[in-house]
Coordinates of all heavy atoms in Angstrom, one line a residue:
M147 N -22.5 52.0 12.5 CA -22.3 50.5 12.4 C -21.8 50.0 11.1 O -21.0 49.1 10.9 CB -23.7 49.8 12.7 CG -23.9 49.7 14.2 SD -22.6 48.8 15.0 CE -23.4 47.7 16.0
K148 N -22.3 50.7 10.0 CA -21.9 50.3 8.6 C -20.3 50.4 8.5 O -19.8 49.7 7.8 CB -22.6 51.1 7.6 CG -24.0 50.8 7.4 CD -24.6 51.5 6.3 CE -26.0 50.9 6.0 NZ -26.4 51.3 4.7
I149 N -19.8 51.5 9.1 CA -18.3 51.6 9.0 C -17.6 50.4 9.6 O -16.6 49.8 9.0 CB -17.8 52.9 9.7 CG1 -18.4 54.1 8.9 CG2 -16.4 53.0 9.7 CD1 -18.1 55.4 9.5
L150 N -18.1 50.0 10.9 CA -17.5 48.8 11.5 C -17.6 47.5 10.6 O -16.7 46.7 10.5 CB -18.1 48.6 12.8 CG -17.8 49.6 13.8 CD1 -18.4 49.4 15.2 CD2 -16.2 49.7 14.1
E151 N -18.8 47.4 10.0 CA -19.0 46.2 9.2 C -18.1 46.2 7.9 O -17.5 45.2 7.6 CB -20.4 46.2 8.7 CG -21.4 45.7 9.7 CD -21.1 44.3 10.3 OE1 -20.9 43.4 9.5 OE2 -21.2 44.2 11.5
K152 N -17.8 47.4 7.4 CA -17.0 47.5 6.2 C -15.5 47.2 6.7 O -14.7 46.6 5.9 CB -17.0 48.9 5.7 CG -18.2 49.1 4.8 CD -18.3 50.5 4.1 CE -19.6 50.7 3.4 NZ -19.6 52.0 2.7
I153 N -15.1 47.7 7.7 CA -13.7 47.5 8.3 C -13.6 45.9 8.5 O -12.6 45.4 8.2 CB -13.5 48.3 9.6 CG1 -13.4 49.8 9.3 CG2 -12.2 47.8 10.3 CD1 -13.3 50.7 10.4
K154 N -14.5 45.3 9.0 CA -14.6 43.9 9.4 C -14.4 43.1 8.1 O -13.5 42.2 8.1 CB -15.8 43.5 10.1 CG -15.8 42.1 10.5 CD -17.0 41.8 11.3 CE -17.1 40.2 11.6 NZ -18.3 39.9 12.3
L155 N -15.1 43.5 7.0 CA -15.1 42.8 5.8 C -13.7 43.1 5.1 O -13.1 42.2 4.5 CB -16.2 43.3 4.9 CG -17.6 42.8 5.3 CD1 -18.6 43.5 4.4 CD2 -17.7 41.3 5.1
W156 N -13.2 44.3 5.2 CA -11.9 44.6 4.7 C -10.8 43.8 5.3 O -9.9 43.2 4.7 CB -11.6 46.1 4.8 CG -10.2 46.5 4.3 CD1 -9.9 46.6 3.0 CD2 -9.0 46.6 5.1 NE1 -8.5 46.9 2.9 CE2 -8.0 46.9 4.1 CE3 -8.7 46.6 6.4 CZ2 -6.7 47.3 4.6 CZ3 -7.5 46.9 6.9 CH2 -6.5 47.2 5.9
L157 N -10.8 43.7 6.6 CA -9.8 42.8 7.4 C -9.8 41.4 7.0 O -8.9 40.7 6.9 CB -10.0 43.0 9.0 CG -9.4 44.4 9.5 CD1 -9.8 44.5 11.0 CD2 -7.9 44.4 9.3
S158 N -11.1 40.9 6.9 CA -11.4 39.5 6.6 C -10.7 39.2 5.2 O -10.0 38.2 5.0 CB -12.8 39.3 6.6 OG -13.1 37.9 6.1
A159 N -10.9 40.1 4.2 CA -10.3 40.0 2.8 C -8.9 40.0 2.8 O -8.3 39.3 2.2 CB -11.0 41.0 1.9
E160 N -8.4 40.9 3.6 CA -6.9 41.1 3.8 C -6.3 39.8 4.3 O -5.2 39.3 3.8 CB -6.6 42.3 4.6 CG -6.7 43.6 3.9 CD -5.8 43.8 2.7 OE1 -4.5 43.5 2.9 OE2 -6.3 44.2 1.7
R161 N -6.9 39.2 5.4 CA -6.3 38.0 5.9 C -6.4 36.9 4.9 O -5.4 36.0 4.9 CB -7.2 37.7 7.2 CG -6.8 38.6 8.4 CD -7.6 38.1 9.6 NE -7.4 39.1 10.7 CZ -8.4 39.6 11.3 NH1 -9.7 39.3 11.0 NH2 -8.3 40.6 12.3
K162 N -7.5 36.7 4.2 CA -7.6 35.7 3.3 C -6.6 35.8 2.2 O -6.0 34.9 1.9 CB -9.0 35.8 2.7 CG -9.2 34.6 1.6 CD -10.7 34.7 1.1 CE -10.8 33.5 0.1 NZ -12.1 33.6 -0.7
A163 N -6.4 37.1 1.7 CA -5.4 37.3 0.6 C -4.0 37.0 1.1 O -3.3 36.4 0.4 CB -5.4 38.8 0.2
R164 N -3.7 37.3 2.4 CA -2.3 37.0 2.9 C -2.2 35.5 3.0 O -1.1 35.0 2.8 CB -2.3 37.6 4.4 CG -1.0 37.4 5.0 CD -0.8 38.3 6.3 NE 0.6 38.1 6.8 CZ 0.8 37.7 8.0 NH1 -0.1 37.5 8.9 NH2 2.0 37.6 8.5
R165 N -3.2 34.7 3.5 CA -3.1 33.3 3.6 C -2.9 32.7 2.3 O -2.0 31.8 2.1 CB -4.4 32.7 4.3 CG -4.4 32.8 5.7 CD -5.6 31.9 6.3 NE -6.9 32.2 5.7 CZ -7.7 33.2 6.2 NH1 -7.5 33.8 7.2 NH2 -8.9 33.3 5.6
E166 N -3.5 33.2 1.3 CA -3.3 32.7 -0.2 C -1.9 32.9 -0.7 O -1.3 32.2 -1.3 CB -4.4 33.3 -1.1 CG -5.8 32.7 -0.9 CD -6.9 33.5 -1.6 OE1 -6.6 34.5 -2.2 OE2 -8.1 33.0 -1.5
R167 N -1.5 34.2 -0.4 CA -0.1 34.6 -0.8 C 0.9 33.6 -0.1 O 1.8 33.2 -0.7 CB 0.3 36.0 -0.5 CG -0.3 37.0 -1.5 CD 0.3 38.4 -1.3 NE 0.2 38.9 0.1 CZ -0.8 39.6 0.6 NH1 -1.9 39.8 -0.1 NH2 -0.8 40.0 1.9
K168 N 0.7 33.4 1.2 CA 1.7 32.6 2.0 C 1.7 31.1 1.4 O 2.7 30.5 1.3 CB 1.4 32.5 3.4 CG 1.9 33.8 4.0 CD 1.9 33.6 5.6 CE 2.8 34.6 6.3 NZ 4.2 34.3 6.3
A169 N 0.5 30.6 1.1 CA 0.3 29.3 0.5 C 1.1 29.1 -0.9 O 1.7 28.2 -1.2 CB -1.1 28.8 0.4
A170 N 0.9 30.2 -1.7 CA 1.4 30.3 -2.9 C 3.0 30.2 -2.8 O 3.8 29.5 -3.5 CB 1.0 31.4 -3.9
Q171 N 3.4 31.1 -1.8 CA 5.0 31.2 -1.6 C 5.5 29.7 -1.1 O 6.5 29.4 -1.5 CB 5.2 32.3 -0.6 CG 5.1 33.7 -1.1 CD 5.3 34.7 0.0 OE1 5.1 34.3 1.2 NE2 5.3 36.0 -0.4
K172 N 4.7 29.1 -0.4 CA 5.1 27.8 0.1 C 5.3 26.7 -1.0 O 6.2 26.0 -1.1 CB 4.1 27.3 1.2 CG 4.7 26.7 2.4 CD 3.8 26.2 3.3 CE 4.2 26.4 4.8 NZ 3.3 25.9 5.8
V173 N 4.2 26.8 -1.9 CA 4.2 26.0 -3.0 C 5.4 26.2 -3.9 O 6.2 25.3 -4.3 CB 2.9 26.0 -3.9 CG1 3.0 25.3 -5.1 CG2 1.8 25.4 -3.0
A174 N 5.7 27.5 -4.2 CA 6.9 27.9 -5.1 C 8.2 27.5 -4.4 O 9.0 26.9 -5.1 CB 6.8 29.4 -5.3
A175 N 8.3 27.5 -3.1 CA 9.5 27.2 -2.3 C 9.6 25.6 -2.4 O 10.8 25.2 -2.6 CB 9.4 27.6 -0.9
L176 N 8.6 24.9 -2.2 CA 8.8 23.5 -2.4 C 9.1 23.0 -3.8 O 9.9 22.1 -4.0 CB 7.4 22.8 -2.0 CG 7.1 22.8 -0.5 CD1 5.7 22.2 -0.3 CD2 8.2 22.0 0.3
E177 N 8.5 23.6 -4.7 CA 8.9 23.3 -6.1 C 10.4 23.6 -6.4 O 11.1 22.9 -7.0 CB 8.0 24.1 -7.1 CG 6.7 23.6 -7.2 CD 5.8 24.4 -8.1 OE1 6.2 25.4 -8.7 OE2 4.5 24.1 -8.2
R178 N 10.9 24.8 -5.9 CA 12.2 25.1 -6.1 C 13.2 24.1 -5.4 O 14.2 23.7 -5.9 CB 12.5 26.5 -5.4 CG 13.4 27.4 -6.2 CD 13.5 28.9 -5.6 NE 13.1 29.2 -4.3 CZ 11.9 29.7 -4.0 NH1 11.0 30.0 -4.9 NH2 11.5 30.0 -2.7
E179 N 12.8 23.7 -4.2 CA 13.6 22.8 -3.4 C 13.6 21.4 -4.1 O 14.7 20.8 -4.1 CB 12.9 22.7 -2.0 CG 13.8 21.7 -1.1 CD 13.2 21.6 0.3 OE1 12.2 22.2 0.6 OE2 13.8 20.8 1.1
S180 N 12.6 21.0 -4.7 CA 12.6 19.7 -5.4 C 13.5 19.7 -6.6 O 14.1 18.7 -6.9 CB 11.1 19.3 -5.8 OG 10.7 20.1 -7.0
K181 N 13.6 20.8 -7.2 CA 14.5 21.0 -8.4 C 15.9 21.0 -7.9 O 16.8 20.5 -8.6 CB 14.2 22.2 -9.2 CG 12.8 22.1 -9.9 CD 12.6 23.4 -10.6 CE 11.1 23.2 -11.2 NZ 10.6 24.5 -11.9
E182 N 16.2 21.5 -6.7 CA 17.6 21.6 -6.2 C 18.0 20.2 -5.6 O 19.2 19.9 -5.7 CB 17.7 22.6 -5.1 CG 17.6 24.1 -5.6 CD 17.3 25.1 -4.5 OE1 17.3 24.7 -3.4 OE2 17.3 26.2 -4.8
R183 N 17.1 19.5 -5.0 CA 17.4 18.3 -4.2 C 17.3 17.0 -5.0 O 18.1 16.0 -4.7 CB 16.6 18.2 -3.1 CG 16.8 19.3 -2.0 CD 16.0 19.1 -0.7 NE 16.2 20.2 0.2 CZ 17.1 20.3 1.1 NH1 18.1 19.4 1.3 NH2 17.2 21.4 1.9
V184 N 16.4 16.9 -6.0 CA 16.3 15.7 -6.7 C 16.9 15.9 -8.1 O 16.5 16.8 -8.8 CB 14.8 15.2 -6.9 CG1 14.6 14.1 -7.7 CG2 14.1 15.1 -5.6
Q185 N 17.9 15.1 -8.5 CA 18.6 15.2 -9.7 C 19.0 14.0 -10.3 O 18.8 12.9 -9.6 CB 20.0 16.0 -9.4 CG 20.1 17.0 -8.4 CD 20.5 16.7 -7.1 OE1 20.8 15.5 -6.8 NE2 20.4 17.5 -6.2
A186 N 19.5 14.0 -11.4 CA 20.1 12.9 -12.1 C 21.6 13.2 -12.2 O 22.0 14.2 -12.8 CB 19.5 12.6 -13.6
R187 N 22.5 12.3 -11.7 CA 24.0 12.6 -11.6 C 24.7 11.3 -12.0 O 24.2 10.2 -11.8 CB 24.4 13.0 -10.1 CG 23.6 14.2 -9.6 CD 24.3 15.3 -9.9 NE 23.5 16.5 -9.5 CZ 24.1 17.7 -9.2 NH1 25.3 17.9 -9.3 NH2 23.2 18.7 -8.8
E188 N 25.9 11.5 -12.4 CA 26.8 10.4 -12.7 C 27.6 10.0 -11.4 O 28.0 10.9 -10.7 CB 27.8 10.8 -13.8 CG 28.8 9.6 -14.3 CD 30.0 9.6 -13.4 OE1 30.4 10.7 -12.9 OE2 30.6 8.5 -13.4
F189 N 27.6 8.7 -11.2 CA 28.4 8.1 -10.1 C 29.0 6.8 -10.5 O 28.3 5.9 -11.0 CB 27.4 7.9 -8.9 CG 28.0 7.4 -7.6 CD1 28.9 8.1 -6.9 CD2 27.8 6.1 -7.3 CE1 29.5 7.5 -5.7 CE2 28.3 5.5 -6.2 CZ 29.2 6.2 -5.3
N190 N 30.3 6.8 -10.3 CA 31.0 5.6 -10.8 C 30.7 5.1 -12.2 O 30.6 4.0 -12.5 CB 30.8 4.4 -9.8 CG 31.5 4.6 -8.5 OD1 32.4 5.4 -8.4 ND2 31.2 3.8 -7.5
G191 N 30.5 6.1 -13.1 CA 30.5 5.8 -14.5 C 29.0 5.5 -14.9 O 28.6 5.1 -16.1
E192 N 28.0 5.5 -13.9 CA 26.6 5.3 -14.2 C 25.7 6.4 -13.8 O 26.0 7.2 -12.8 CB 26.1 4.1 -13.5 CG 24.9 3.4 -13.9 CD 24.6 2.1 -13.3 OE1 25.5 1.5 -12.7 OE2 23.5 1.6 -13.5
V193 N 24.7 6.7 -14.6 CA 23.7 7.9 -14.2 C 22.8 7.3 -13.2 O 22.1 6.2 -13.3 CB 23.0 8.3 -15.5 CG1 22.0 9.4 -15.0 CG2 24.0 8.9 -16.4
Y194 N 22.6 8.1 -12.1 CA 21.6 7.7 -11.0 C 20.6 8.8 -10.7 O 20.9 10.1 -11.0 CB 22.5 7.5 -9.7 CG 23.2 6.3 -9.6 CD1 24.3 6.0 -10.1 CD2 22.6 5.2 -8.8 CE1 25.0 4.8 -10.0 CE2 23.2 3.9 -8.6 CZ 24.5 3.8 -9.3 OH 25.0 2.6 -9.1
L195 N 19.6 8.4 -10.2 CA 18.5 9.4 -9.6 C 19.1 9.6 -8.3 O 19.4 8.7 -7.6 CB 17.1 8.7 -9.6 CG 16.1 9.7 -9.1 CD1 15.8 10.8 -9.8 CD2 14.7 8.8 -9.0
C196 N 19.3 11.0 -8.0 CA 19.9 11.3 -6.7 C 19.0 12.1 -5.9 O 18.1 12.9 -6.4 CB 21.2 12.0 -7.1 SG 22.4 11.1 -7.9
Y197 N 19.2 12.2 -4.6 CA 18.6 13.1 -3.6 C 19.7 13.8 -2.8 O 20.5 13.1 -2.3 CB 17.6 12.4 -2.7 CG 17.0 13.3 -1.7 CD1 16.0 14.1 -2.1 CD2 17.3 13.4 -0.4 CE1 15.3 15.0 -1.3 CE2 16.8 14.2 0.5 CZ 15.8 15.1 0.1 OH 15.1 15.9 0.9
N198 N 19.8 15.1 -3.0 CA 20.8 15.8 -2.3 C 22.2 15.3 -2.6 O 23.1 15.2 -1.9 CB 20.7 15.8 -0.8 CG 19.7 16.8 -0.2 OD1 19.3 17.7 -1.0 ND2 19.3 16.6 1.0
N199 N 22.4 15.0 -3.9 CA 23.7 14.5 -4.5 C 24.0 13.2 -4.0 O 25.2 12.7 -4.1 CB 24.8 15.5 -4.3 CG 24.5 16.9 -5.0 OD1 24.1 16.9 -6.2 ND2 24.8 18.0 -4.4
V200 N 23.1 12.4 -3.5 CA 23.3 11.0 -3.0 C 22.6 10.1 -4.0 O 21.5 10.2 -4.2 CB 22.7 10.8 -1.7 CG1 23.0 9.3 -1.3 CG2 23.4 11.8 -0.6
P201 N 23.6 9.3 -4.8 CA 22.9 8.4 -5.7 C 22.0 7.3 -5.0 O 22.4 6.7 -4.1 CB 24.2 7.7 -6.4 CG 25.3 7.9 -5.3 CD 24.9 9.1 -4.5
L202 N 20.9 7.1 -5.6 CA 20.0 6.1 -5.1 C 19.6 5.1 -6.0 O 19.6 3.9 -5.7 CB 18.6 6.9 -4.6 CG 18.8 7.9 -3.5 CD1 17.5 8.5 -3.2 CD2 19.4 7.3 -2.3
V203 N 19.2 5.5 -7.2 CA 18.7 4.4 -8.2 C 19.3 4.7 -9.5 O 19.2 5.7 -10.0 CB 17.1 4.5 -8.3 CG1 16.6 3.5 -9.4 CG2 16.4 4.4 -6.9
P204 N 19.9 3.6 -10.1 CA 20.4 3.9 -11.5 C 19.2 4.1 -12.4 O 18.2 3.8 -12.2 CB 21.1 2.5 -11.8 CG 20.6 1.6 -10.8 CD 20.2 2.3 -9.7
A205 N 19.6 4.9 -13.5 CA 18.6 5.3 -14.5 C 17.8 4.2 -14.8 O 16.6 4.3 -15.0 CB 19.2 6.1 -15.5
D206 N 18.3 3.0 -15.2 CA 17.6 1.9 -15.7 C 16.7 1.2 -14.6 O 15.9 0.4 -15.0 CB 18.6 0.8 -16.4 CG 19.5 0.3 -15.4 OD1 19.7 0.9 -14.3 OD2 20.1 -0.8 -15.6
G207 N 17.0 1.6 -13.4 CA 16.2 1.1 -12.3 C 14.8 1.5 -12.1 O 13.9 1.1 -11.4
L208 N 14.5 2.7 -12.9 CA 13.1 3.3 -12.9 C 12.1 2.3 -13.5 O 10.9 2.6 -13.2 CB 13.2 4.5 -13.6 CG 14.1 5.7 -13.0 CD1 14.1 6.9 -13.9 CD2 13.8 5.9 -11.6
S209 N 12.4 1.3 -14.1 CA 11.5 0.4 -14.7 C 11.4 -1.0 -13.9 O 10.6 -1.9 -14.2 CB 11.8 0.0 -16.2 OG 13.0 -0.7 -16.2
W210 N 12.2 -1.0 -12.8 CA 12.1 -2.2 -12.0 C 10.9 -2.2 -11.0 O 10.3 -1.1 -10.8 CB 13.4 -2.4 -11.1 CG 14.6 -2.3 -11.9 CD1 14.8 -2.7 -13.2 CD2 16.0 -2.0 -11.4 NE1 16.1 -2.6 -13.5 CE2 16.9 -2.2 -12.5 CE3 16.4 -1.6 -10.2 CZ2 18.3 -1.9 -12.3 CZ3 17.8 -1.3 -10.0 CH2 18.7 -1.6 -11.1
D211 N 10.6 -3.4 -10.4 CA 9.7 -3.5 -9.4 C 10.1 -2.8 -8.1 O 11.3 -2.7 -7.9 CB 9.2 -4.9 -9.2 CG 10.3 -5.7 -8.6 OD1 11.1 -6.3 -9.5 OD2 10.4 -5.9 -7.4
I212 N 9.2 -2.2 -7.3 CA 9.5 -1.6 -6.1 C 10.5 -2.3 -5.1 O 11.5 -1.7 -4.7 CB 8.3 -1.2 -5.3 CG1 7.4 -0.2 -6.3 CG2 8.5 -0.6 -3.9 CD1 8.0 1.1 -6.4
P213 N 10.3 -3.6 -4.8 CA 11.3 -4.1 -3.8 C 12.7 -4.2 -4.4 O 13.7 -4.0 -3.7 CB 10.8 -5.6 -3.7 CG 9.3 -5.5 -3.9 CD 9.2 -4.4 -5.0
T214 N 12.8 -4.4 -5.7 CA 14.1 -4.5 -6.4 C 14.8 -3.1 -6.4 O 16.0 -2.9 -6.0 CB 14.0 -5.1 -7.8 OG1 13.5 -6.3 -7.8 CG2 15.4 -5.0 -8.5
T215 N 14.0 -2.0 -6.7 CA 14.5 -0.7 -6.8 C 14.9 -0.3 -5.3 O 16.0 0.4 -5.3 CB 13.3 0.2 -7.3 OG1 12.9 -0.2 -8.7 CG2 13.8 1.7 -7.4
L216 N 14.1 -0.6 -4.4 CA 14.4 -0.2 -3.0 C 15.7 -0.9 -2.6 O 16.6 -0.2 -2.0 CB 13.3 -0.6 -2.0 CG 13.4 -0.3 -0.6 CD1 13.7 1.3 -0.5 CD2 12.2 -0.6 0.3
A217 N 16.0 -2.1 -2.9 CA 17.2 -2.9 -2.4 C 18.4 -2.2 -3.2 O 19.4 -2.0 -2.6 CB 17.0 -4.2 -2.9
V218 N 18.2 -1.9 -4.4 CA 19.4 -1.3 -5.2 C 19.7 0.1 -4.7 O 20.8 0.5 -4.5 CB 19.0 -1.2 -6.6 CG1 20.0 -0.5 -7.5 CG2 19.0 -2.7 -7.2
A219 N 18.6 0.8 -4.3 CA 18.8 2.1 -3.8 C 19.5 2.1 -2.5 O 20.5 2.9 -2.2 CB 17.4 2.8 -3.6
R220 N 19.2 1.2 -1.6 CA 19.9 1.1 -0.3 C 21.3 0.7 -0.6 O 22.2 1.2 0.2 CB 19.1 0.1 0.6 CG 17.9 0.6 1.1 CD 17.1 -0.4 1.9 NE 15.9 0.1 2.4 CZ 14.9 -0.5 2.8 NH1 14.7 -1.8 2.6 NH2 13.7 0.1 3.3
E221 N 21.6 -0.2 -1.5 CA 22.9 -0.6 -1.8 C 23.7 0.6 -2.3 O 24.9 0.8 -1.9 CB 23.1 -1.8 -2.7 CG 24.4 -2.3 -3.1 CD 25.1 -3.0 -1.9 OE1 24.4 -3.4 -0.9 OE2 26.3 -3.0 -1.8
A222 N 23.2 1.4 -3.2 CA 23.8 2.5 -3.9 C 24.1 3.5 -2.7 O 25.2 4.1 -2.7 CB 23.0 3.1 -4.9
W223 N 23.1 3.7 -1.8 CA 23.4 4.7 -0.8 C 24.5 4.2 0.1 O 25.5 5.0 0.5 CB 22.1 4.8 0.1 CG 22.3 5.9 1.1 CD1 22.1 7.2 1.0 CD2 22.6 5.6 2.5 NE1 22.3 7.8 2.3 CE2 22.7 6.8 3.2 CE3 23.0 4.4 3.2 CZ2 23.0 7.0 4.5 CZ3 23.3 4.6 4.6 CH2 23.3 5.8 5.1
L224 N 24.6 2.9 0.4 CA 25.7 2.4 1.2 C 27.0 2.6 0.6 O 28.1 3.0 1.2 CB 25.5 0.9 1.6 CG 24.4 0.7 2.7 CD1 24.1 -0.9 2.7 CD2 24.9 1.1 4.0
K225 N 27.1 2.3 -0.7 CA 28.3 2.4 -1.4 C 28.8 3.8 -1.5 O 29.9 4.2 -1.2 CB 28.2 1.9 -2.9 CG 28.2 0.4 -3.0 CD 28.0 0.1 -4.5 CE 27.9 -1.5 -4.6 NZ 27.8 -1.8 -6.0
W226 N 27.9 4.8 -1.7 CA 28.2 6.2 -1.7 C 28.7 6.7 -0.3 O 29.6 7.4 -0.1 CB 26.9 7.1 -2.0 CG 27.2 8.6 -1.9 CD1 27.7 9.3 -2.8 CD2 26.9 9.3 -0.8 NE1 27.8 10.6 -2.3 CE2 27.3 10.6 -1.2 CE3 26.2 9.1 0.4 CZ2 27.1 11.7 -0.2 CZ3 26.1 10.2 1.2 CH2 26.5 11.4 1.0
K227 N 28.0 6.2 0.8 CA 28.3 6.6 2.1 C 29.8 6.0 2.5 O 30.6 6.7 3.1 CB 27.3 6.0 3.1 CG 27.4 6.7 4.4 CD 26.8 8.2 4.4 CE 26.7 8.6 5.7 NZ 26.4 10.2 5.7
E228 N 30.0 4.8 2.1 CA 31.4 4.2 2.3 C 32.4 5.1 1.5 O 33.5 5.3 2.2 CB 31.4 2.7 1.9 CG 30.6 1.9 2.7 CD 30.3 0.6 2.1 OE1 30.7 0.3 1.0 OE2 29.7 -0.3 2.8
K229 N 32.2 5.4 0.3 CA 33.1 6.1 -0.4 C 33.4 7.6 0.1 O 34.5 8.0 0.2 CB 32.7 6.2 -2.0 CG 33.7 6.9 -2.8 CD 33.2 6.8 -4.3 CE 34.4 7.4 -5.2 NZ 34.0 7.2 -6.5
E230 N 32.2 8.2 0.7 CA 32.4 9.5 1.2 C 33.1 9.4 2.5 O 33.9 10.4 2.8 CB 31.0 10.0 1.6 CG 30.9 11.4 2.1 CD 29.6 11.8 2.6 OE1 29.0 11.2 3.5 OE2 29.1 12.9 2.0
A231 N 33.1 8.4 3.3 CA 33.8 8.2 4.5 C 35.2 7.8 4.4 O 36.0 7.9 5.2 CB 33.1 7.1 5.4
G232 N 35.6 7.4 3.1 CA 36.9 7.0 2.7 C 37.2 5.5 3.1 O 38.5 5.3 3.3
Y233 N 36.3 4.7 3.3 CA 36.7 3.3 3.5 C 35.7 2.4 2.7 O 34.6 2.8 2.3 CB 36.6 3.0 4.9 CG 35.2 3.1 5.6 CD1 34.3 2.0 5.6 CD2 34.7 4.3 6.1 CE1 33.1 2.1 6.1 CE2 33.5 4.4 6.7 CZ 32.6 3.4 6.7 OH 31.4 3.4 7.2
E234 N 36.2 1.2 2.6 CA 35.4 0.2 1.9 C 34.9 -0.8 3.0 O 35.7 -1.2 3.9 CB 36.2 -0.6 0.9 CG 36.7 0.2 -0.4 CD 35.5 0.8 -1.1 OE1 34.5 -0.1 -1.3 OE2 35.5 1.9 -1.6
A235 N 33.6 -1.1 3.0 CA 33.1 -2.1 4.0 C 33.6 -3.5 3.6 O 33.8 -3.9 2.5 CB 31.5 -2.0 4.0
H236 N 33.8 -4.2 4.7 CA 34.3 -5.6 4.5 C 33.0 -6.5 4.7 O 32.5 -6.7 5.8 CB 35.3 -6.0 5.6 CG 36.5 -5.2 5.5 ND1 37.4 -5.3 4.5 CD2 36.9 -4.1 6.2 CE1 38.3 -4.3 4.7 NE2 38.0 -3.6 5.7
R237 N 32.5 -6.9 3.5 CA 31.3 -7.8 3.6 C 31.6 -9.2 3.2 O 32.2 -9.5 2.4 CB 30.2 -7.2 2.7 CG 29.7 -5.9 3.1 CD 28.7 -5.5 2.2 NE 28.7 -3.9 2.2 CZ 27.9 -3.2 1.5 NH1 27.0 -3.7 0.8 NH2 28.0 -1.9 1.7

């Protein structure tokens, strides 16, 4: 019986170590992805906070209130999308 208990304890420890390794790998992958996807880039002569190379908020917008920042981010995204599509919206 002692052999079976030792095997059971060993398997339990191995499973726990595997879960911990997988969790650490997931955290490392997310950190890597955040560095690849969130950047500061130049767009139309101004530096923007970008996600996947899409300009969202101009650098000076980081000190604005949330509603203003959100409105500007949406406008910047629309301008980028229009430029990417090769047309200007008629507003």
Side-chain angles (χ1 to χ4, degrees):
M147 276 308 219
K148 285 190 175 195
I149 292 175
L150 289 177
E151 287 298 318
K152 286 183 180 182
I153 291 172
K154 184 179 174 183
L155 288 174
W156 178 80
L157 282 173
S158 178
E160 286 295 313
R161 286 185 190 125
K162 182 179 178 186
R164 183 172 184 233
R165 281 192 305 271
E166 289 172 354
R167 279 192 309 274
K168 283 196 162 273
Q171 288 172 344
K172 226 177 205 182
V173 166
L176 286 173
E177 287 176 359
R178 221 175 17 259
E179 183 177 358
S180 74
K181 291 175 184 173
E182 292 170 0
R183 295 187 185 268
V184 179
Q185 323 92 7
R187 304 271 175 154
E188 184 272 332
F189 178 70
N190 285 345
E192 192 171 352
V193 176
Y194 279 79
L195 179 63
C196 299
Y197 178 75
N198 279 345
N199 295 317
V200 177
L202 297 177
V203 179
D206 62 343
L208 298 176
S209 62
W210 301 338
D211 61 277
I212 296 296
T214 301
T215 304
L216 185 57
V218 171
R220 289 177 173 154
E221 183 66 26
W223 182 84
L224 284 171
K225 285 181 183 176
W226 174 83
K227 198 68 171 169
E228 291 166 357
K229 186 173 183 174
E230 181 185 64
Y233 66 86
E234 294 296 320
H236 301 286
R237 294 183 209 179

